[in-house]
Amino acid sequence: MSMISGWGGSIRGLFNDNKGPWGSAEPGDSGEEPPRSPWGQSAKGPRPVPGDPNRSSLDDFLRRGRARFGGGGLPGRPDGSLIGWGLAAVAALWLVLSSMHVIAPSERGVVTQFGRYAYTLGPGVGLTLPWPIHDVQKVDVENIRIVDLGSANSEDLMLTGDQNIIDIAYSVRWSISQPELYLFELARPQETIRQVAESAMRAVVSRVTLDEAIGDKRSDIEGQVAQVMQQILNQYHAGVTIRGIAIKQADPPQAVNDAFKDVSAAQQDAQRYRNAANAYAQQLTAKAQGEATAFDKVYEQYKLSPEVTRRRMYYETMERVLSKVPKTIVESQTGVVPYLPLPAVKAQPAPNPGAAQ
């Protein structure tokens, strides 16, 4: 209030007296108290302050302002030193959080300086300049990502080398090898990989026949597609590594799929019969080779003692033949017996041909 009244007195003094901006210089000219300045002091001079005669009202006003806005304090207002320490703690925390970065073993940290690529941080704790000077984007380089193309419910038709149509569904496994290229060289990396995979698959399928595509050539097709994709992506500087291609479905179009299945079943049956015939032929060949080897061994023994070997072969042959038929021995004197009584034969005298005559 004193300051407002001082400003009012000063304005009145400007219009009532031309001696100065604060009114009359002498206090007894008009019988009124001399006007006060806007800072609450008399125009005649500074108002005395107890304890300090040289201290002006301006100094006193500034002192009261400092005490009110942080120096001495109203209830509920923090002290100025606490505010300073709080700001310093916030600044230190901001520096630590924006300058220190923990990179996992499977990650890489791409550092940009004002939005422009600067360098790449490896696994561990990395230090950079605080944000917004440096910014770090973490990229997982070990995660295997999968892109599915084609589907069992929708036809993705391709033309084979023998002018047939095939419906194929497959998936692409890929990972990030160079994160700085992956982030800044391609606008839409996943869409680019999808289009490159479709183009590479069509190029490889166009060089094989339908039977090879739906038969035992799938692994060769997968390897060729992965190789073609890697070459194209390297030309694009995509920073991507193709981990593999997996063909999940390779069938003729739905309209003729049943007929192709019957043909495939007949081909499989024919192959099975050929395999069975080859196995039987190999078995007979092995048996014949074994018999020939045994005969060679017998012939070697025959050359050493021909008579003994001949008799032994005769006995073995007769034994093998007679063992399978009933045996009957006919004797002229005693009749017919179904067996050979060896003791009785040994006891009887040998017949004399001359006596019979």
Side-chain angles (χ1 to χ4, degrees):
M1 293 297 296
S2 61
M3 184 174 66
I4 296 175
S5 62
W7 277 105
S10 300
I11 295 173
R12 288 193 303 270
L14 290 175
F15 291 98
N16 295 332
D17 193 1
N18 295 327
K19 293 182 180 181
W22 316 122
S24 176
E26 297 295 332
D29 293 343
S30 61
E32 296 179 355
E33 183 181 359
R36 304 177 66 87
S37 69
W39 297 279
Q41 68 181 23
S42 173
K44 185 176 181 178
R47 186 175 61 183
V49 179
D52 189 3
N54 297 324
R55 190 169 184 175
S56 64
S57 298
L58 178 60
D59 295 334
D60 186 57
F61 173 75
L62 294 177
R63 180 186 60 80
R64 290 198 303 269
R66 287 194 301 268
R68 179 174 299 176
F69 294 103
L74 293 177
R77 290 185 177 272
D79 187 77
S81 60
L82 295 180
I83 294 177
W85 282 109
L87 293 176
V90 171
L93 183 62
W94 169 71
L95 288 175
V96 171
L97 293 180
S98 61
S99 300
M100 184 178 297
H101 308 278
V102 179
I103 310 299
S106 61
E107 296 178 339
R108 299 294 183 271
V110 179
V111 182
T112 56
Q113 182 174 354
F114 296 112
R116 184 187 182 95
Y117 171 73
Y119 55 92
T120 301
L121 293 175
V125 178
L127 298 177
T128 63
L129 295 177
W131 185 88
I133 301 176
H134 278 177
D135 189 16
V136 178
Q137 184 174 355
K138 299 179 181 180
V139 179
D140 193 342
V141 297
E142 294 185 2
N143 183 27
I144 304 298
R145 297 164 173 82
I146 299 177
V147 176
D148 293 324
L149 295 98
S151 174
N153 300 324
S154 62
E155 292 186 353
D156 189 6
L157 302 180
M158 297 184 183
L159 188 65
T160 62
D162 55 352
Q163 303 300 315
N164 284 310
I165 298 177
I166 184 173
D167 180 15
I168 191 168
Y170 54 99
S171 62
V172 180
R173 302 188 305 276
W174 61 279
S175 63
I176 300 174
S177 58
Q178 295 177 288
E180 61 276 7
L181 297 180
Y182 176 78
L183 292 177
F184 298 108
E185 289 293 333
L186 299 180
R188 295 186 297 273
Q190 295 187 2
E191 183 64 24
T192 301
I193 293 173
R194 180 183 295 272
Q195 294 179 2
V196 170
E198 183 175 357
S199 176
M201 180 61 73
R202 290 185 181 277
V204 174
V205 170
S206 64
R207 297 195 294 264
V208 299
T209 63
L210 178 62
D211 294 337
E212 293 175 344
I214 65 177
D216 56 351
K217 295 294 184 179
R218 287 192 179 185
S219 59
D220 296 339
I221 296 175
E222 293 171 350
Q224 294 178 18
V225 171
Q227 184 177 2
V228 173
M229 285 190 63
Q230 191 63 62
Q231 293 176 355
I232 296 175
L233 292 173
N234 290 341
Q235 295 176 359
Y236 290 168
H237 301 285
V240 171
T241 299
I242 302 300
R243 299 294 184 178
I245 308 294
I247 298 178
K248 298 182 290 185
Q249 173 188 343
D251 296 325
Q254 189 65 31
V256 295
N257 192 17
D258 294 338
F260 272 92
K261 287 183 178 179
D262 294 340
V263 173
S264 179
Q267 292 176 349
Q268 293 177 1
D269 292 340
Q271 185 64 34
R272 184 173 66 253
Y273 294 149
R274 284 195 294 268
N275 293 337
N278 292 332
Y280 182 69
Q282 293 176 359
Q283 182 179 1
L284 291 181
T285 302
K287 183 178 179 180
Q289 290 177 352
E291 293 178 351
T293 303
F295 182 80
D296 292 338
K297 292 181 179 180
V298 172
Y299 180 69
E300 292 177 358
Q301 298 296 328
Y302 177 79
K303 290 191 297 183
L304 296 177
S305 54
E307 185 62 27
V308 175
T309 303
R310 188 184 302 110
R311 186 177 296 275
R312 182 175 61 81
M313 292 178 62
Y314 173 77
Y315 289 156
E316 290 176 355
T317 304
M318 294 301 297
E319 180 180 4
R320 187 168 57 253
V321 173
L322 295 177
S323 62
K324 298 178 181 180
V325 297
K327 294 171 284 298
T328 301
I329 299 175
V330 179
E331 294 185 357
S332 59
Q333 296 179 356
T334 59
V336 178
V337 293
Y339 59 92
L340 180 62
L342 294 180
V345 171
K346 290 181 180 179
Q348 292 180 358
N352 189 0
Q357 292 179 358

